[in-house]
Amino acid sequence: MAYRVIGADVERWDAVAKVKGKADYTADIPVKNLLCGRIVRATIAHGFVREIDFSEALKVPGVLKVLTPDNVPDVKYATAGHPYALNPKSRDIEDRNILTRKVRQYGDDVAAIIAENPLAAEEAAEKIRIVYDELPFYLTAQESTAEGAVLVHEVERNTFASTVAKEGDVATGFEESDIIIEDEFNTQVVQHCHIENQVAVAYQDADSRWVCITSTQIPHICRRIVAQALDIPWGQVRIIKPFIGGGFGNKQDVTIEPLTVAMSMAVGGRPVKIQLSREESMACTRTRHAHNYKMKLGLSKDGTIRSLQSACLSDSGAYASHGHAVAAKGSAFLYAMYKLPHFEFAARTAYSNRTCAGAMRGYGIPQVIFAVESLMDHAARKLGMDPIEFRLKNMAPDGVLNPIYNTYIYTNKLAEVLTIGRDAFRWEEKKKAAREHNAVSRLKRGVGVAAFSYSTGVYPKSLEIAGCRLVLNQDGSIKLMTGAAEIGQGSDTVLQQMVAETVGVPYDMVYRDSNTDTDIDPFDTGAYASRQTYVTGLAVRRAAEELRGKILDANKKFNDIDARMCDIVDGVIVHKHDGSAIETLGELAMKTYYDIEDGECLTVDISNNCHFNSFSTGATFAEVEVDTATGKAEVLSVMNVHDSGVILNPLLASGQVDGGIMMGQGYAFLEELKFDPRTGAPVNNNLLDYKFPTSMDIGDMQCEFVEYSDPAGPYGNKSLGEPPTCSPAPAFRNAILDAIDVEINDLPLSPQNIFMACRRAGLV
Amino acid sequence: MAYRVIGADVERWDAVAKVKGKADYTADIPVKNLLCGRIVRATIAHGFVREIDFSEALKVPGVLKVLTPDNVPDVKYATAGHPYALNPKSRDIEDRNILTRKVRQYGDDVAAIIAENPLAAEEAAEKIRIVYDELPFYLTAQESTAEGAVLVHEVERNTFASTVAKEGDVATGFEESDIIIEDEFNTQVVQHCHIENQVAVAYQDADSRWVCITSTQIPHICRRIVAQALDIPWGQVRIIKPFIGGGFGNKQDVTIEPLTVAMSMAVGGRPVKIQLSREESMACTRTRHAHNYKMKLGLSKDGTIRSLQSACLSDSGAYASHGHAVAAKGSAFLYAMYKLPHFEFAARTAYSNRTCAGAMRGYGIPQVIFAVESLMDHAARKLGMDPIEFRLKNMAPDGVLNPIYNTYIYTNKLAEVLTIGRDAFRWEEKKKAAREHNAVSRLKRGVGVAAFSYSTGVYPKSLEIAGCRLVLNQDGSIKLMTGAAEIGQGSDTVLQQMVAETVGVPYDMVYRDSNTDTDIDPFDTGAYASRQTYVTGLAVRRAAEELRGKILDANKKFNDIDARMCDIVDGVIVHKHDGSAIETLGELAMKTYYDIEDGECLTVDISNNCHFNSFSTGATFAEVEVDTATGKAEVLSVMNVHDSGVILNPLLASGQVDGGIMMGQGYAFLEELKFDPRTGAPVNNNLLDYKFPTSMDIGDMQCEFVEYSDPAGPYGNKSLGEPPTCSPAPAFRNAILDAIDVEINDLPLSPQNIFMACRRAGLV
């Protein structure tokens, strides 16, 4: 199908405003009589608050109130930005209070100060004296789940979930195998490092309800969780999301909002702002789960996979947050990539005393893909096969039911991804050049590949629902309202393209708002699971089709030409047979507004329940150069190839891929949030000590798209938001392996870790 | 029909917020980097700007720009808040520029200053030197329409419209009459004196469109007029109306908004605020038209009206604004009150150089009712009949087609109004007591009555369209969105009651927003013509019925009980046969949101074209005491009786009536905006010199409602916003006549005017 606006490189609607500084982020919005909220954080990693003495804090001029757990509702709630489940068994674990008497991580929220200004709040915070009863703390899930470990929460062995997904019987599979490979992999804790830290302003509105302006990915879910935490009817809460400086999943958790509203309640509804520092955001919000994988692979001599067994131990840190979903999610995705006659995927998720882990771009898949794609290279090497050939041999077909996810996979173009990417990346040429280079140089080069698959949205595991409202203006322009959360990813722009495409108007005649507002914008669960262009897109397409129908009906009413004979092209109603103009959409719209007898403004307001899922796939091709003497690995070139269906906006899509590759590069080489083993305190929760890649670290970076229209996606599209960050780390790891013949199974591939691996391998 | 929420004295939703100061009016809304806009006003009443020298003004620190007519679009536009007409002949007269080179009234907008702060703007304004070429000016329509008068605008005799409405043939009627009465009446210029002066803030939004936050009664119309004045597509403008401190019709004109947006355009989209002073608001916005009526009445000996002829000359001041509609409107209304076998109603509207007149509560009817109801008392006296008896004898029936308005009048209960009012006011008793009092006192007492009729909305003369969107929240509460303009009159509250009534939830579970926003709220032409509870009410009722239907359909889907067997009562879905609960609306709503397979959020979004009109009627009964020595008349008691159909909220309704009576009392006795005959400058455009009644002037004030359900009104209701102010002035005038036997035919009945009339009558 030929599209006019879909597939075009239109500029994001907010680009100019953002460049000019005209786009208001939460902290930019002026608020009268604004008070400053500050969280008083635990200075131990595990224990109980025995006593809080805030008498001196209250004496600080400008301090209005100090809140302790006694001053907030005694309600346990869950913070994960998941759709609410009617079935109580499917709900997230309610293990958190707004302020806590039991400290479970260093920096836990134990009290809060409301002051006239930040300085008074800071001074007061220093004057609060807290006496703790300390407990032993655990900085890994291995420790916290050990026999006899003290309980972080009241669950046995600190393990709050364990599951096993299986197809066939792995034992039989291993019996049938000629070659068995076993490996163990560890991934580290990293943090999202979105540019804009968490910030929220809460106040009581003129109608006595509670408003929270907040930097969230999930306005409608945030509304629910704030209400749950404060034990008030959900309709009493209004969430407004302004422009956002990134989230990457961290703002798919409700962190500071309930406390911000509780603070406003404590001062009679006056506005209160909580703005986290970088240190707080990194140490006290959410992280990517550290996973340990034990994997076992059985192969035939010819390189056919017979059996794959995986056991994961996931460290959720101090609270459950997104819970076990992150660890369990990988099973279906591996099964979607490879033909696995016998497959078993076991996962356990446990509490520890590290910073609570939550959602982060990729949602567990970067971890499991690191493990399995390292394992695949191990297998290929053992078989003496090219890694791409090995993968192609074992590729899952498309057009099959995925029994683990219980969803039909209409398109899976991973084979094309690998073959097209091999050519585009010049795999063979680079591989050969590396060999020649390594023969004469101290610096060793290698190439690596890693593949992945990724779902789109959360159906059928959870609810997928989205709404869209469209209003036809007098001039033929269209106001688009959705509850989708533009968080910098460009969802607004793409949804505008969809309206323009389907109604038949130019892109710049579709307007989106700066804010997403739960009182006004249709219900949509928000920005996560790479769902907005798919789930919200389905709603937008349906709404746009409905509006188009209403427009053509109005054309029949006012111009007496049947809908089947008309089309709307570039904002003009035309005769379908020859394209000649009947009148502009604006001219027709004027009649819908102002005809005394028959005028009726055209709007559409729908809610759409999505009953599909589609799996994207892709791969990273990487070329690195390793200095074994220093352990430093440099990226020479990297390419992501994506099978994400129809690419709605190549400009935005390639931006997503570029960002995802860089996030994967940071995950691979640089990033790790570390904790002091003596205190449990985070030690590098700032952007000086926590390293992530900058523009100086970019190698030759490219992306390619393998475009097959997916039948389920609203415009043939599938997920693309998270996929780019799934496969870079193992591709880099495999390239290092190719360069120096050393298997490194723990992330990050930092100079120190590479150097130590080289030393163990006897290279230095 | 028994209502549960309609007819209840529910408290306005914004009452507490307004009392606590939590309700943000336009000037309360914090805006960053806000610039100050100031209008440079003409210091002559008529002429041309020959030269503007602003070089010194630009040197004032903090002054950014001076705008002259050269810097704004050279577009003529109309400012009246009428629905747009597709037929060019029905459109308002486009006779105004944002800034003008031709001065037509003292204070006309000739230039504008944009500065960092008000002080700099003021200083700059003083430094602007303007040279004028002056023309003769006219402070009455009689002068401006005289032979040889210089033209204010290029229309012959400065008369921009004249019309004649007729039924039968007045000449024949007078021939058939036994008694002929002829009188001339004059009404003065008064001003609305809303508490909040005009104020607007304009800026360019992140999407590059233009936002204007403004104190307007007509957000959606304002959007259109701003776009017209600036010659940009209408969809490029967004109007936001916060809480408003009154309008009374003055904010049914678009006054400062186009200039405010033009100023923001001149500074690259930075926010600019124009906030008029009281002096500017009174002299440079709009006023109530001064009308001159020449009336001739023919009667049979038995007191039957045979013929009524009326000729009106209306002074529109410097611009057309609402044009001729104000003068022409009376015809149908008189015909709706009295049986008039022969009737002719001629009206002319002319420019002068007084402050531009526009819409004001009652829209021409207080003027024509003053004239005709004075005339009726003249007739009653001549016939020796009681004024109430005389009116009852000539009353128009209900259930008839009004040929002049081309609308069917379903209910006209003026006869009941007069008979019920006579008893409730104790007319006979007071009349008798006055006679006894006057026999022994220097102070003379009398009673007077005056009746009126008033339409509801503007159909079939103009478009009547309104929209409503409803969103069912998870807790069963409902968000109500309309484009209706809450301007203090309580429309929001009553619309909330309608939703509560029809869906079946408690009033406090229906939420309305603080703002009306043209980008978000359904199209509605706004607050005027006493239309909101009627025209918007029809939309709200239809939307609420639709939502109710969707709820019962969802109940069928999830609980498998047919809609016909269920009801919704107080937020609970019940079995209709015995009222037993099925589940709460909140419980059902949760399924509509969160059922994975069948969830679909319930919203309704409709636009409703109204094809009715209903005529309210009513009367004022007044008792005054006149001191002929000083000319001072004191109100002893006053009662308004209203036939406004079903009273939706008696508490709010009686507030409307109280305010309307006081406005009528000010119109009758105190108010007049005066102009200096030497310069044309207004002389009392401030609240010290312009007198209106305060709480100290209230006599014994009461109201009664004659409730008959009107079949066309959504809940049997008819207009009530403007009616209360239509009849007080002639009732007071007639009471003075009853007290001292002196006919005063010119307003106001100020001490000076009464004294002079008494002197002419030989009383002093």
Side-chain angles (χ1 to χ4, degrees):
Chain A
M1 155 146 204
Y3 291 122
R4 298 174 71 90
V5 190
I6 293 292
D9 279 339
V10 303
E11 191 179 76
R12 23 182 328 138
W13 75 274
D14 52 7
V16 172
K18 284 182 171 174
V19 169
K20 285 191 176 174
K22 278 190 173 185
D24 275 352
Y25 294 72
T26 300
D28 298 326
I29 295 170
V31 180
K32 287 183 299 182
N33 304 319
L34 183 59
L35 297 172
C36 171
R38 191 191 166 95
I39 301 168
V40 179
R41 300 192 173 281
T43 53
I44 62 167
H46 199 191
F48 291 93
V49 174
R50 193 201 299 160
E51 196 184 311
I52 301 181
D53 176 3
F54 53 82
S55 52
E56 290 302 312
L58 277 180
K59 292 177 188 165
V60 175
V63 171
L64 275 77
K65 280 214 170 159
V66 175
L67 302 183
T68 69
D70 294 337
N71 310 115
V72 294
D74 188 17
V75 173
K76 292 240 179 202
Y77 63 100
T79 63
H82 287 141
Y84 184 75
L86 291 176
N87 180 354
K89 287 182 187 161
S90 301
R91 289 183 201 153
D92 291 302
I93 295 170
E94 295 168 343
D95 64 1
R96 186 183 284 268
N97 292 92
I98 292 179
L99 294 173
T100 185
R101 289 182 188 87
K102 169 145 194 204
V103 175
R104 296 182 176 94
Q105 67 171 64
Y106 199 97
D108 223 345
D109 310 22
V110 292
I113 293 159
I114 309 168
E116 295 283 352
N117 58 71
L119 283 179
E122 192 180 333
E123 194 183 333
E126 284 165 8
K127 293 194 170 171
I128 289 185
R129 297 283 162 261
I130 303 176
V131 182
Y132 298 99
D133 294 323
E134 292 196 51
L135 294 170
F137 61 86
Y138 311 105
L139 294 179
T140 65
Q142 285 83 350
E143 294 169 52
S144 65
T145 57
E147 181 86 42
V150 171
L151 295 185
V152 180
H153 294 267
E154 296 301 311
V155 293
E156 199 181 335
R157 296 289 279 263
N158 280 319
T159 303
F160 62 79
S162 42
T163 51
V164 181
K166 53 169 94 176
E167 290 297 319
D169 176 64
V170 283
T172 308
F174 290 126
E175 278 167 26
E176 294 166 4
S177 298
D178 301 315
I179 302 163
I180 303 276
I181 294 172
E182 289 187 78
D183 277 320
E184 182 170 351
F185 303 94
N186 284 293
T187 67
Q188 79 281 37
V189 173
V190 296
Q191 219 267 339
H192 315 71
C193 297
H194 33 77
I195 296 294
E196 182 199 28
N197 290 325
Q198 281 80 356
V199 52
V201 174
Y203 59 89
Q204 191 172 24
D205 209 351
D207 63 0
S208 297
R209 297 188 301 141
W210 298 94
V211 180
C212 186
I213 306 172
T214 179
S215 181
T216 181
Q217 298 178 215
I218 44 168
H220 277 283
I221 291 179
C222 186
R223 176 186 212 177
R224 184 251 300 173
I225 294 176
V226 166
Q228 289 178 312
L230 294 163
D231 201 18
I232 57 178
W234 300 6
Q236 291 286 323
V237 177
R238 179 175 191 167
I239 303 293
I240 298 171
K241 177 208 78 65
F243 287 109
I244 287 201
F248 304 114
N250 201 17
K251 294 172 185 168
Q252 193 202 341
D253 248 82
V254 173
T255 53
I256 58 174
E257 294 89 346
L259 177 57
T260 314
V261 177
M263 283 177 164
S264 179
M265 286 179 169
V267 290
R270 266 188 79 174
V272 179
K273 177 163 82 172
I274 295 181
Q275 184 160 20
L276 295 190
S277 64
R278 178 62 63 185
E279 288 72 11
E280 286 178 295
S281 180
M282 290 186 74
C284 308
T285 61
R286 303 289 179 273
T287 62
R288 191 188 290 286
H289 293 73
H291 280 183
N292 168 274
Y293 289 96
K294 294 190 172 72
M295 288 194 174
K296 184 174 174 184
L297 185 67
L299 300 149
S300 307
K301 267 182 291 201
D302 68 352
T304 306
I305 296 173
R306 299 297 312 153
S307 192
L308 174 61
Q309 185 175 33
S310 172
C312 172
L313 175 59
S314 174
D315 179 2
S316 184
Y319 295 93
S321 175
H322 280 254
H324 186 56
V326 171
K329 194 178 180 189
S331 53
F333 292 49
L334 301 189
Y335 199 82
M337 292 166 68
Y338 295 112
K339 276 180 290 195
L340 302 172
H342 303 285
F343 178 49
E344 182 181 295
F345 192 92
R348 284 184 295 143
T349 304
Y351 292 117
S352 75
N353 298 107
R354 281 198 283 201
T355 299
C356 176
M360 184 170 171
R361 192 178 190 182
Y363 207 83
I365 305 310
Q367 292 98 309
V368 73
I369 289 293
F370 175 74
V372 82
E373 288 297 284
S374 298
L375 184 72
M376 292 300 159
D377 258 41
H378 188 170
R381 286 178 78 80
K382 189 125 188 178
L383 292 159
M385 287 177 77
D386 174 83
I388 295 175
E389 285 304 324
F390 172 72
R391 285 174 173 81
L392 286 171
K393 186 173 182 68
N394 288 288
M395 208 93 289
D398 65 359
V400 295
L401 181 80
N402 186 311
I404 297 176
Y405 222 65
N406 191 29
T407 196
Y408 197 83
I409 298 181
Y410 298 96
T411 57
N412 168 12
K413 304 298 175 186
L414 192 44
E416 280 86 340
V417 163
L418 289 172
T419 52
I420 289 168
R422 177 165 60 188
D423 290 347
F425 185 71
R426 295 183 288 116
W427 171 263
E428 295 296 346
E429 190 181 319
K430 285 183 177 172
K431 194 168 161 179
K432 184 157 167 275
R435 302 286 177 273
E436 289 165 11
H437 175 271
N438 294 351
V440 298
S441 174
R442 185 180 65 80
L443 304 176
K444 304 301 178 192
R445 294 183 176 178
V447 292
V449 67
F452 71 90
S453 80
Y454 203 83
S455 58
T456 311
V458 298
Y459 187 85
K461 295 284 176 202
S462 297
L463 176 78
E464 273 304 5
I465 193 167
C468 178
R469 180 172 182 240
L470 298 173
V471 177
L472 179 66
N473 291 326
Q474 290 97 328
D475 59 359
S477 64
I478 296 166
K479 175 79 180 194
L480 162 64
M481 293 164 65
T482 77
E486 167 65 61
I487 59 170
Q489 85 281 47
S491 65
D492 273 358
T493 304
V494 175
L495 299 176
Q496 285 167 292
Q497 286 179 271
M498 292 178 182
V499 175
E501 179 69 47
T502 294
V503 177
V505 299
Y507 161 71
D508 60 7
M509 286 181 75
V510 183
Y511 306 133
R512 181 68 187 100
D513 224 293
S514 304
N515 295 339
T516 303
D517 180 334
T518 56
D519 250 40
I520 287 166
D521 288 305
F523 185 75
D524 184 312
T525 48
Y528 57 86
S530 303
R531 62 184 288 283
Q532 301 275 227
T533 57
Y534 188 84
V535 180
T536 311
L538 287 165
V540 168
R541 179 165 187 152
R542 195 179 122 196
E545 283 169 350
E546 214 172 286
L547 180 62
R548 181 190 163 80
K550 285 189 176 188
I551 290 168
L552 293 179
D553 287 348
N555 184 53
K556 163 72 179 163
K557 180 162 73 175
F558 292 112
N559 297 322
D560 202 21
I561 309 174
D562 274 9
R564 69 188 170 82
M565 296 159 66
C566 302
D567 200 358
I568 310 172
V569 179
D570 273 342
V572 180
I573 320 285
V574 299
H575 290 107
K576 205 186 255 176
H577 69 290
D578 66 358
S580 62
I582 298 166
E583 66 181 346
T584 67
L585 181 52
E587 286 163 339
L588 178 63
M590 287 293 282
K591 297 174 193 170
T592 67
Y593 272 82
Y594 298 114
D595 187 277
I596 292 184
E597 297 306 322
D598 291 324
E600 188 181 285
C601 305
L602 302 190
T603 64
V604 169
D605 189 5
I606 63 121
S607 172
N608 191 68
N609 192 317
C610 162
H611 283 196
F612 315 113
N613 207 315
S614 295
F615 275 56
S616 290
T617 68
T620 302
F621 299 84
E623 180 190 20
V624 300
E625 183 175 82
V626 186
D627 184 342
T628 52
T630 62
K632 175 108 173 72
E634 193 184 339
V635 175
L636 298 179
S637 63
V638 59
M639 174 183 281
N640 262 23
V641 183
H642 288 277
D643 151 35
S644 285
V646 170
I647 299 303
L648 303 168
N649 183 322
L651 182 69
L652 288 176
S654 63
Q656 280 281 23
V657 177
D658 289 352
I661 290 173
M662 289 311 287
M663 189 169 250
Q665 189 170 326
Y667 189 52
F669 293 112
L670 296 172
E671 301 181 41
E672 180 169 16
L673 186 63
K674 295 185 174 181
F675 297 82
D676 187 331
R678 297 160 303 175
T679 62
V683 293
N684 62 340
N685 51 326
N686 61 75
L687 296 184
L688 192 64
D689 298 315
Y690 181 98
K691 303 292 186 193
F692 59 70
T694 71
S695 59
M696 302 299 291
D697 300 295
I698 301 178
D700 172 18
M701 184 165 67
Q702 294 183 48
C703 71
E704 293 282 336
F705 299 106
V706 176
E707 284 193 66
Y708 284 84
S709 183
D710 183 81
Y715 296 85
N717 54 300
K718 309 191 283 190
S719 62
L720 183 62
E722 293 166 279
T725 206
C726 292
S727 54
F732 292 126
R733 178 264 183 201
N734 290 340
I736 292 172
L737 169 61
D738 186 54
I740 61 174
D741 203 22
V742 175
E743 306 239 15
I744 310 180
N745 291 347
D746 298 339
L747 285 177
L749 307 165
S750 62
Q752 182 174 358
N753 289 350
I754 292 176
F755 178 83
M756 294 305 290
C758 290
R759 175 170 282 181
R760 281 194 299 274
L763 293 186
V764 286
Chain B
M1 158 148 201
Y3 292 123
R4 298 174 71 91
V5 190
I6 293 292
D9 280 337
V10 303
E11 191 179 79
R12 24 183 326 139
W13 75 274
D14 52 7
V16 171
K18 284 183 171 173
V19 169
K20 285 191 177 174
K22 279 190 172 184
D24 275 352
Y25 294 71
T26 299
D28 298 326
I29 295 168
V31 180
K32 286 183 299 181
N33 305 319
L34 182 60
L35 296 172
C36 172
R38 190 190 166 96
I39 301 168
V40 179
R41 299 192 175 279
T43 53
I44 63 166
H46 199 192
F48 291 93
V49 174
R50 192 200 301 162
E51 196 185 313
I52 301 181
D53 176 2
F54 54 82
S55 53
E56 291 302 311
L58 277 180
K59 292 177 187 163
V60 175
V63 170
L64 275 78
K65 281 215 170 159
V66 175
L67 302 184
T68 70
D70 295 337
N71 309 116
V72 294
D74 188 17
V75 172
K76 292 240 180 202
Y77 63 99
T79 63
H82 287 143
Y84 184 75
L86 292 176
N87 180 353
K89 288 183 187 164
S90 302
R91 287 180 203 155
D92 292 300
I93 295 171
E94 296 169 343
D95 64 2
R96 185 185 284 269
N97 291 93
I98 292 178
L99 295 173
T100 185
R101 289 182 189 86
K102 168 144 194 206
V103 175
R104 297 183 176 92
Q105 68 171 64
Y106 200 98
D108 223 346
D109 310 21
V110 293
I113 294 159
I114 308 168
E116 295 283 354
N117 58 70
L119 282 178
E122 191 180 333
E123 194 182 333
E126 285 164 9
K127 294 195 170 170
I128 289 185
R129 296 283 163 260
I130 303 177
V131 182
Y132 298 100
D133 294 323
E134 292 196 52
L135 293 170
F137 62 85
Y138 310 105
L139 294 180
T140 65
Q142 284 83 348
E143 294 169 50
S144 66
T145 57
E147 180 86 43
V150 171
L151 295 183
V152 180
H153 295 266
E154 296 301 310
V155 294
E156 200 183 333
R157 295 290 278 265
N158 280 317
T159 303
F160 62 79
S162 43
T163 50
V164 181
K166 54 170 93 175
E167 290 299 319
D169 176 64
V170 283
T172 307
F174 290 125
E175 278 168 28
E176 294 166 5
S177 297
D178 303 314
I179 303 163
I180 304 275
I181 295 171
E182 289 188 75
D183 278 318
E184 183 170 350
F185 303 93
N186 284 293
T187 67
Q188 79 281 36
V189 173
V190 296
Q191 220 266 340
H192 315 70
C193 297
H194 34 76
I195 295 295
E196 182 199 28
N197 290 324
Q198 281 79 357
V199 51
V201 175
Y203 58 90
Q204 190 173 26
D205 209 351
D207 62 1
S208 297
R209 296 188 302 141
W210 298 94
V211 180
C212 185
I213 306 172
T214 179
S215 180
T216 181
Q217 299 177 216
I218 45 168
H220 277 281
I221 290 179
C222 186
R223 177 186 210 176
R224 184 251 300 171
I225 294 176
V226 166
Q228 288 178 313
L230 294 162
D231 201 18
I232 57 178
W234 301 4
Q236 291 286 323
V237 177
R238 179 176 192 167
I239 304 293
I240 297 171
K241 178 208 77 66
F243 286 107
I244 286 200
F248 304 113
N250 201 19
K251 294 172 185 167
Q252 194 202 340
D253 248 83
V254 172
T255 54
I256 58 174
E257 293 89 348
L259 177 57
T260 315
V261 176
M263 284 178 163
S264 178
M265 286 178 168
V267 291
R270 263 188 78 174
V272 179
K273 177 163 82 171
I274 295 182
Q275 184 160 19
L276 296 191
S277 65
R278 178 62 61 185
E279 287 73 10
E280 288 178 295
S281 180
M282 290 185 75
C284 309
T285 61
R286 302 290 178 270
T287 61
R288 189 189 289 287
H289 292 73
H291 281 183
N292 169 273
Y293 289 97
K294 292 190 175 74
M295 287 193 174
K296 184 175 174 183
L297 185 68
L299 300 149
S300 306
K301 266 182 291 201
D302 69 349
T304 306
I305 297 173
R306 299 296 314 155
S307 192
L308 174 62
Q309 187 176 29
S310 172
C312 172
L313 175 60
S314 173
D315 180 0
S316 184
Y319 295 93
S321 175
H322 280 253
H324 187 56
V326 171
K329 196 178 180 189
S331 54
F333 293 49
L334 301 190
Y335 199 81
M337 290 166 70
Y338 294 112
K339 275 180 290 197
L340 302 173
H342 302 285
F343 178 50
E344 184 181 293
F345 191 92
R348 284 183 295 144
T349 304
Y351 292 117
S352 74
N353 298 107
R354 280 197 284 199
T355 300
C356 176
M360 184 171 172
R361 191 179 189 181
Y363 207 82
I365 304 311
Q367 292 98 310
V368 72
I369 289 293
F370 175 73
V372 81
E373 287 298 283
S374 297
L375 185 71
M376 292 301 159
D377 259 40
H378 189 170
R381 286 177 78 80
K382 189 126 185 174
L383 292 159
M385 286 177 76
D386 176 82
I388 296 176
E389 284 304 325
F390 172 72
R391 285 173 172 83
L392 287 171
K393 185 174 182 65
N394 289 289
M395 209 94 289
D398 66 359
V400 295
L401 181 79
N402 186 311
I404 299 177
Y405 223 67
N406 191 27
T407 196
Y408 197 84
I409 298 182
Y410 298 97
T411 56
N412 167 11
K413 304 298 174 186
L414 191 46
E416 280 86 340
V417 163
L418 290 173
T419 51
I420 289 167
R422 179 164 57 188
D423 290 346
F425 184 70
R426 295 183 288 117
W427 171 262
E428 295 297 347
E429 190 181 318
K430 285 182 178 173
K431 194 168 162 180
K432 184 158 167 275
R435 302 286 178 272
E436 290 165 9
H437 176 271
N438 294 352
V440 298
S441 173
R442 186 178 67 78
L443 305 176
K444 303 301 178 190
R445 293 184 177 178
V447 293
V449 67
F452 71 89
S453 80
Y454 204 83
S455 59
T456 311
V458 297
Y459 188 85
K461 296 284 174 200
S462 298
L463 177 77
E464 274 303 5
I465 194 167
C468 178
R469 181 172 182 239
L470 298 173
V471 178
L472 179 66
N473 290 326
Q474 291 97 329
D475 59 0
S477 63
I478 296 166
K479 175 79 178 191
L480 162 64
M481 293 164 64
T482 76
E486 167 66 60
I487 60 169
Q489 86 280 49
S491 66
D492 274 359
T493 304
V494 175
L495 299 176
Q496 285 168 294
Q497 285 179 271
M498 292 177 182
V499 175
E501 179 69 48
T502 295
V503 177
V505 299
Y507 162 72
D508 60 6
M509 285 180 77
V510 183
Y511 307 132
R512 180 70 187 99
D513 225 292
S514 305
N515 295 340
T516 304
D517 181 335
T518 56
D519 251 39
I520 288 166
D521 288 303
F523 184 73
D524 184 312
T525 48
Y528 58 84
S530 303
R531 63 184 287 284
Q532 301 273 226
T533 56
Y534 188 85
V535 179
T536 312
L538 288 165
V540 168
R541 179 167 186 151
R542 195 178 123 197
E545 282 168 351
E546 214 171 285
L547 181 60
R548 181 191 163 80
K550 285 190 176 186
I551 291 167
L552 293 179
D553 287 349
N555 184 53
K556 163 72 179 164
K557 181 161 73 176
F558 292 112
N559 296 323
D560 203 21
I561 309 175
D562 274 7
R564 68 186 171 82
M565 296 160 66
C566 302
D567 199 357
I568 311 171
V569 179
D570 274 342
V572 181
I573 320 284
V574 300
H575 290 105
K576 206 186 254 176
H577 69 291
D578 65 357
S580 62
I582 297 166
E583 65 182 345
T584 67
L585 180 52
E587 286 163 338
L588 178 63
M590 288 293 283
K591 297 175 193 168
T592 67
Y593 273 81
Y594 299 113
D595 187 278
I596 292 184
E597 297 305 323
D598 291 323
E600 189 181 285
C601 305
L602 302 189
T603 64
V604 169
D605 190 4
I606 63 121
S607 172
N608 191 69
N609 191 316
C610 162
H611 283 196
F612 315 113
N613 206 317
S614 296
F615 274 56
S616 290
T617 68
T620 302
F621 300 83
E623 180 189 21
V624 300
E625 183 176 80
V626 186
D627 184 341
T628 51
T630 62
K632 175 111 173 72
E634 193 184 340
V635 176
L636 299 178
S637 63
V638 58
M639 175 184 280
N640 263 24
V641 183
H642 288 278
D643 152 35
S644 285
V646 170
I647 299 303
L648 304 166
N649 183 322
L651 182 69
L652 288 175
S654 62
Q656 280 281 22
V657 177
D658 290 352
I661 291 174
M662 290 309 288
M663 189 169 251
Q665 188 171 326
Y667 189 49
F669 295 112
L670 297 171
E671 300 182 42
E672 180 169 16
L673 187 63
K674 296 185 174 183
F675 296 83
D676 187 330
R678 297 160 302 175
T679 61
V683 293
N684 63 340
N685 53 325
N686 62 74
L687 296 184
L688 192 62
D689 298 316
Y690 181 97
K691 303 293 184 192
F692 59 69
T694 69
S695 59
M696 302 300 290
D697 300 296
I698 301 176
D700 172 19
M701 186 165 66
Q702 294 183 49
C703 72
E704 293 282 337
F705 299 106
V706 176
E707 285 193 66
Y708 283 84
S709 183
D710 183 82
Y715 295 86
N717 53 300
K718 307 192 284 190
S719 62
L720 183 61
E722 293 166 280
T725 206
C726 292
S727 53
F732 291 127
R733 179 264 183 202
N734 290 340
I736 292 171
L737 170 61
D738 186 52
I740 61 172
D741 203 21
V742 175
E743 305 239 15
I744 308 178
N745 290 348
D746 298 340
L747 285 177
L749 308 165
S750 62
Q752 185 173 357
N753 289 350
I754 292 176
F755 179 82
M756 295 304 290
C758 289
R759 175 171 283 182
R760 281 194 300 275
L763 294 186
V764 285

